[in-house]
């Protein structure tokens, strides 16, 4: 019988059921391998999902077939496969970090400065332990839980509703006073005690041992079969919200109370603080409790309590100005430095990487750590053969802290930093004011071109499904993809792709379809994908916002090559772009080869014009200059508000300025605006219009 028919499994003989099971299990194993190991799925997510569920149904009918090695019993490594994608109605934010008391003091000072709040006024701060788990967003409609998703990249996560429904801390319905639409966010975690028990059972069953509770929680949440998730005692603390059809509180503290009335858990050791001293005392207090808590935490999150102040403070990039994570010190371990290798980055930077005797730090086995640059090696006097202290904090790359001199063996040898690129042999040079040595090979350096390609297809850039770092490296090595535009010409090499081991008709067609899907790209992503030095996501966005279209951006960049011209001045006028960034940008665009890449990509792609947020606002696309003293809001707040309304903020008045907001003491800029007949308003008028 065909195993497409799930309804008739009961009528099968055991022998037929076994045969069907063997066939489906083999197919799923092959799909898993293609997806996880080869980075080259051969079936769509929906097909995979359907096959998986047919196998579950077959095993329900013949439980004897549910053996340990069945694909339905897979634990751990996440089948990202199979989960539908969910766009978050409101992005899930990340948090800036504070590493010491001084950083926290500066955070509070920034808030006061931004809001123009004096030292004599209290700014309430809520401190909550930062749970080391997985962030999720739970959507309730009409008080009923309808969808739950992972954070994903903040904009798009995965639909794990069925698995989240198995968690007792997630109520199925909310009390009648909940708004019609309510998205509640928080952290799912596996208690330490449950983690230890789980690993014991895993060991007894010869199954995968999890490195830490976070990995175990991730593996448990990303099961295709929610009955496995249900066996893991996952828990959740609620701490934030996404879309709400009505306000639920006017403070973070009030929000926590409200959601706890609805049946969510609020963390019991969170506290409302009224001063820097109280905040720091809470940090120390939570730090002391850390070991005895039944969940892992990696710091304390501080949030401005008043929600109207949070709104005024807004965001920088993807992190709120009104919150910060105060991290606990990094975990450290001691091991031997076996050697130093050099990694060449996409901009040619030579980074020394310590090869270590593997050691467990904070639950993770570490065998490589960064040594940053040659000055760091010299400053720390790290020698090959040394016993070294290493540390890792959160998801950052482990670092070598220092050697233990008392343990230095007599044969320990100093490392001589290369002055030529270990990959292409070109000279590697250091600018006087730079710590980094760079390969001068440019285009001929294969390490640089492969790193650029990896960046080009990475998640925040073109994000092509099935074309991750592994495949792009292999395609580059085999001359299939030499530069970014070749990615979009891969269809011409279909036959060659088909000859590759592990690639069948379906996987090649899936890849080509995924590439085609990305021929439409937003301008800011496009600029970011180019991998220009110092042009990260935020700067790429600034450029996209300023120039609007790829044509306008390129024209402006070519005009800006004249350092005395207006276009160069306009570039420097963009708040957030200084001379150093401008010079890297212009150097990139000046190179013939890069211009050719841009021409090719423009011909192959459809690069969407930047859509300013709130395009319905009266300020959308306008260029505004603030000058003189603002009395009711700080300059930063005014600027943030203008940008939220879709305007560009410039530092100088020119014929491109649309509006000048002039406070008392405005001098030459207001004068120039009058000469150029540019509309000039005062602060009250600005507030009235921007709040309209
Ligand atoms: N406790 C806690 N963790 N945490 C993480 N609160 C909290 N808030 C977050 C995140 C990312 O974000 C909000 C500030 C939006």
């Amino acid at each position: 019988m065909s195993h497409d028919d799930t309804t008739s499994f009961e009528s099968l003989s055991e022998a037929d059921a076994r045969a069907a099971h063997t066939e489906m299990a083999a197919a799923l194993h092959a799909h898993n391998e293609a997806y996880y190991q080869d980075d080259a799925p051969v079936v769509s997510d929906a097909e995979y999902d359907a096959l998986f569920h047919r196998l579950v149904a077959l095993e329900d009918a013949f439980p004897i077939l549910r053996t340990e090695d069945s694909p339905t019993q897979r634990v751990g490594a996440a089948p990202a496969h199979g989960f539908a994608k969910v766009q978050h109605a409101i992005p899930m934010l990340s948090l800036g970090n504070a590493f010491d008391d001084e950083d926290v003091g500066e955070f509070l000072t920034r808030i006061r400065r931004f809001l123009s709040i004096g030292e004599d006024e209290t700014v309430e701060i809520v401190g909550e332990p930062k749970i080391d788990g997985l962030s999720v967003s739970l959507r309730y409609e009409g008080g009923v839980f309808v969808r739950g998703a992972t954070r994903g990249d903040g904009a798009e996560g995965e639909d794990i509703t069925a698995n989240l429904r198995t968690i007792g801390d997630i109520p199925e319905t909310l009390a009648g006073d909940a708004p019609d639409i309510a998205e509640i966010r928080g952290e799912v975690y596996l208690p330490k005690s449950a983690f230890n028990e789980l690993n014991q059972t895993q060991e007894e069953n010869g199954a995968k041992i999890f490195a830490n509770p976070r990995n175990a929680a991730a593996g448990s949440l990303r099961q295709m079969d929610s009955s496995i998730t249900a066996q893991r005692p996952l828990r959740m603390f609620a701490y934030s919200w996404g879309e709400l059809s009505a306000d639920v509180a006017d403070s973070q503290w009030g929000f926590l109370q409200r959601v706890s009335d609805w049946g969510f858990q609020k963390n019991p050791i969170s506290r409302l603080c009224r001063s820097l001293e109280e905040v720091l005392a809470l940090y120390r207090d939570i730090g002391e409790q850390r070991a005895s808590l039944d969940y892992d935490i990696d710091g304390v999150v501080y949030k401005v309590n008043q929600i109207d102040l949070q709104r005024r403070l807004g965001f920088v990039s993807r992190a709120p100005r009104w919150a910060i994570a105060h991290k606990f010190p990094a975990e450290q371990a001691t091991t031997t430095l076996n050697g130093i290798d050099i990694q060449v980055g996409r901009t040619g930077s030579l980074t020394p990487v310590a090869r270590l005797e593997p050691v467990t730090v904070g639950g993770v086995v570490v065998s490589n750590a960064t040594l940053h640059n040659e000055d760091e090696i010299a400053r720390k006097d790290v020698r090959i053969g040394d016993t070294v202290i290493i540390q890792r904090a959160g998801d950052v790359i482990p670092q070598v802290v220092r050697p233990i001199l008392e343990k230095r063996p007599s044969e320990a040898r100093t490392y001589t930093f290369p002055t030529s690129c270990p990959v292409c042999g070109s000279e590697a040079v250091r600018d006087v004011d730079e710590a980094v040595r760079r390969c001068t090979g440019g285009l001929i350096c294969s390490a640089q071109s492969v790193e650029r390609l990896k960046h080009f297809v990475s998640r925040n850039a073109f994000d092509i499904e099935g074309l991750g770092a592994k495949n792009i490296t292999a395609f580059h090595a085999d001359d299939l993809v030499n530069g970014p535009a070749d990615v979009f010409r891969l269809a011409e090499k279909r036959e060659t792709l088909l000859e590759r081991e592990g690639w069948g008709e379906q996987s090649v067609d899936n890849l080509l379809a995924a590439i085609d899907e990305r021929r439409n790209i937003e301008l800011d992503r496009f600029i970011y994908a180019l991998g220009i030095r110092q042009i990260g996501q935020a700067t790429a966005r600034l450029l996209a916002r300023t120039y609007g279209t790829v044509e306008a951006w390129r024209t402006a960049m070519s005009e800006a090559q004249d350092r005395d011209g207006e276009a160069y001045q306009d570039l420097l006028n963009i708040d957030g772009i200084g001379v150093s960034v401008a010079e890297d940008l212009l150097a990139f665009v000046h190179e013939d080869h890069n211009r050719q890449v841009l021409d090719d990509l423009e011909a192959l792609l459809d690069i969407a014009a930047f859509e300013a947020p709130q395009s319905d606002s009266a300020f959308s696309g306008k260029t505004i200059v603030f000058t003189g003293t603002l009395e009711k809001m700080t300059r930063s707040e005014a600027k943030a508000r203008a940008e939220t309304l879709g305007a560009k903020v410039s530092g100088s008045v020119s014929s491109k300025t649309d509006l000048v907001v002039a406070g008392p003491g405005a001098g030459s800029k207001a004068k120039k605006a009058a000469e150029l007949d540019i509309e000039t308003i005062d602060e009250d008028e600005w507030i009235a219009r921007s709040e309209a």
Side-chain angles (χ1 to χ4, degrees):
M1 100 163 213
S2 148
H3 56 242
D4 288 334
D5 181 3
T6 55
T7 56
S8 52
F9 285 142
E10 267 90 351
S11 61
L12 287 183
S13 70
E14 193 180 318
D16 284 347
R18 261 186 209 289
H21 189 276
T22 307
E23 192 184 330
M24 284 192 263
L28 281 168
H29 277 308
H31 295 332
N32 283 340
E33 197 170 308
Y35 189 84
Y36 293 114
Q37 273 144 53
D38 304 335
D39 203 8
V42 290
V43 288
S44 70
D45 289 351
E47 283 170 271
Y48 179 94
D49 210 357
L51 181 56
F52 188 93
H53 284 107
R54 284 199 294 278
L55 191 64
V56 171
L58 177 63
E59 290 179 353
D60 284 344
F62 292 90
I64 193 168
L65 299 177
R66 189 172 283 135
T67 51
E68 228 172 60
D69 59 348
S70 165
T72 63
Q73 303 305 296
R74 233 184 106 92
V75 285
H81 212 70
F83 292 113
K85 299 273 189 259
V86 178
Q87 292 288 330
H88 297 300
I90 293 177
M92 290 185 76
L93 304 169
S94 48
L95 289 170
N97 289 327
F99 294 101
D100 54 29
D101 294 1
E102 205 181 319
D103 291 347
V104 180
E106 281 167 12
F107 164 69
L108 294 183
T109 306
R110 274 198 303 277
I111 286 169
R112 287 182 181 281
R113 203 182 312 126
F114 192 96
L115 298 171
S116 197
I117 294 179
E119 286 297 330
D120 49 337
E121 259 180 276
T122 302
V123 176
E124 289 180 340
I125 299 289
V126 174
E128 304 168 16
K130 186 166 183 302
I131 314 297
D132 198 6
L134 285 109
S135 308
V136 296
S137 184
L138 313 168
R139 187 174 175 90
Y140 290 80
E141 288 177 4
V144 177
F145 178 43
V146 292
R147 194 163 52 250
T150 59
R151 178 181 185 279
D153 63 3
E156 184 184 81
E158 285 170 341
D159 186 336
I160 51 163
T161 312
N163 293 344
L164 290 170
R165 279 193 205 284
T166 68
I167 300 178
D169 289 338
I170 299 180
E172 224 2 80
T173 54
L174 305 183
D177 64 341
D180 191 40
I181 293 175
E183 283 183 0
I184 306 302
R185 292 174 174 175
E187 203 83 355
V188 169
Y189 66 95
L190 188 69
K192 290 182 197 167
S193 48
F195 164 74
N196 292 331
E197 272 177 39
L198 172 64
N199 263 355
Q200 226 165 30
T201 319
Q202 295 285 101
E203 195 170 0
E204 280 158 23
N205 295 336
K208 180 191 156 100
I209 302 294
F210 295 106
N212 52 46
R214 186 180 189 280
N215 287 3
S220 306
L221 265 189
R222 302 176 105 210
Q223 291 293 327
M224 296 309 298
D225 178 358
S226 54
S227 69
I228 298 175
T229 315
Q231 292 162 24
R232 313 273 168 83
L234 295 167
R235 307 223 40 190
M236 182 186 130
F237 285 119
Y239 55 63
S240 167
W241 60 93
E243 188 180 355
L244 294 174
S245 56
D247 287 347
V248 300
D250 57 12
S251 67
Q252 171 70 13
W253 198 244
F255 168 82
L256 292 175
Q257 187 49 53
R258 190 89 191 271
V259 291
S260 105
D261 293 343
W262 292 340
F264 290 99
Q265 301 299 315
K266 66 171 181 161
N267 190 288
I269 57 174
S270 300
R271 226 176 285 159
L272 183 60
C273 307
R274 292 168 190 283
S275 64
L276 174 63
E277 291 67 36
E278 282 186 29
V279 161
L280 295 177
L282 175 64
Y283 176 79
R284 307 215 195 295
D285 186 23
I286 292 181
E288 277 164 26
Q289 295 184 57
R290 186 180 182 189
S292 60
L293 296 172
D294 196 22
Y295 42 86
D296 274 342
I297 60 174
D298 57 3
V300 181
V301 181
Y302 306 133
K303 300 171 185 174
V304 170
N305 187 34
Q306 290 305 125
I307 290 168
D308 57 345
L309 296 186
Q310 292 184 1
R311 287 202 181 109
R312 283 177 60 192
L313 284 156
F315 310 91
V316 221
S317 277
R318 289 180 188 191
R321 274 197 197 84
W322 45 267
I324 202 162
H326 190 181
K327 304 301 283 275
F328 289 130
E331 298 193 67
Q332 297 192 332
T334 300
T335 187
T336 311
L337 176 67
N338 290 333
I340 296 176
D341 288 342
I342 296 290
Q343 237 169 32
V344 184
R346 81 183 136 86
T347 57
S349 54
L350 268 49
T351 305
V353 177
R355 302 295 176 205
L356 305 165
E357 199 55 38
V359 62
T360 303
V361 197
V364 170
V365 178
V366 170
S367 46
N368 301 315
T370 181
L371 279 159
H372 299 289
N373 54 54
E374 58 193 289
D375 288 352
E376 278 284 291
I377 299 178
R379 193 177 60 77
K380 290 177 176 161
D381 186 22
V382 177
R383 302 188 192 174
I384 296 166
D386 267 344
T387 299
V388 289
I389 295 175
I390 61 158
Q391 69 178 27
R392 63 174 280 276
D395 288 335
V396 300
I397 304 167
Q399 303 167 336
V400 174
V401 181
R402 63 178 176 85
I404 302 178
L405 296 179
E406 308 81 71
K407 292 196 175 174
R408 174 165 285 166
S410 54
E411 68 277 13
R413 52 191 173 86
T414 50
Y415 176 74
T416 313
F417 206 89
T419 50
S420 60
C421 172
V423 176
C424 72
S426 304
E427 198 188 351
V429 298
R430 259 181 89 167
D431 281 350
V432 251
D433 52 354
E434 266 220 289
V436 177
R437 187 174 288 276
R438 285 178 203 278
C439 161
T440 53
L443 298 174
I444 64 137
C445 179
S446 66
Q448 285 187 53
S449 46
V450 85
E451 290 305 320
R452 272 189 207 190
L453 282 167
K454 282 189 202 166
H455 174 81
F456 185 74
V457 297
S458 65
R459 194 153 87 172
N460 294 321
F462 273 82
D463 189 23
I464 296 170
E465 203 172 334
L467 193 58
K470 192 175 148 194
N471 277 334
I472 201 87
T473 307
F475 289 177
H476 181 263
D478 295 344
D479 243 7
L480 278 165
V481 174
N482 289 313
D486 294 336
V487 169
F488 292 95
R489 297 191 191 108
L490 264 177
E492 297 162 19
K493 307 208 168 133
R494 189 170 179 278
E495 296 310 314
T496 322
L497 284 173
L498 282 170
E499 285 161 18
R500 295 179 74 80
E501 210 183 303
W503 287 80
E505 294 261 345
Q506 194 162 18
S507 52
V508 168
D509 289 344
N510 284 349
L511 174 66
L512 296 178
I515 291 172
D516 269 345
E517 238 178 67
R518 293 291 192 252
R519 284 184 200 272
N520 296 305
I521 186 156
E522 302 87 17
L523 179 59
D524 53 331
R525 255 183 193 260
F526 174 78
I527 296 175
Y528 171 73
L530 296 171
I532 305 167
R533 244 170 96 180
Q534 301 200 66
I535 310 290
Q537 281 177 281
T539 313
R541 215 173 147 73
L542 279 179
L543 292 167
R545 181 200 291 267
T546 304
Y547 297 106
T549 63
V550 69
E551 296 81 12
W553 173 60
R554 288 196 62 189
T555 307
M557 293 306 95
S558 114
E559 289 173 4
Q561 299 293 342
D562 170 9
R563 305 298 195 268
D564 297 323
E566 201 181 329
Y568 183 66
Q569 213 43 55
D570 286 346
L571 177 61
L572 291 181
N573 272 341
I574 302 175
D575 221 316
I577 293 192
V579 172
S580 158
V581 175
E583 288 305 324
D584 279 344
L585 180 58
L586 294 176
F588 178 92
V589 191
H590 187 60
E591 244 187 63
D592 283 346
H593 164 80
N594 291 334
R595 279 212 296 273
Q596 184 61 51
V597 169
L598 286 168
D599 288 346
D600 290 353
L601 286 172
E602 262 194 86
L604 290 160
L605 304 174
D606 198 352
I607 304 163
F610 182 80
E611 262 185 51
Q614 294 210 8
S615 51
D616 54 343
S617 115
F619 297 100
S620 178
K622 301 269 194 278
T623 300
I624 303 182
V625 174
F626 292 95
T627 179
T629 312
L630 300 184
E631 289 166 332
K632 306 217 165 87
M633 60 171 65
T634 60
R635 187 71 70 85
S636 316
E637 188 179 357
K639 177 175 168 251
R641 184 182 293 190
E643 286 176 352
T644 308
L645 293 168
K648 292 172 261 182
V649 178
S650 175
S652 66
V653 176
S654 75
S655 58
K656 298 201 178 93
T657 310
D658 295 296
L659 181 70
V660 173
V661 180
S668 61
K669 289 184 194 172
K671 204 165 145 226
K672 186 157 182 202
E675 280 163 21
L676 294 171
D677 207 14
I678 292 166
E679 185 182 11
T680 302
I681 59 175
D682 65 13
E683 187 182 4
D684 285 338
E685 177 67 14
W686 154 249
I687 290 173
R689 287 199 205 175
S690 63
E691 284 177 351

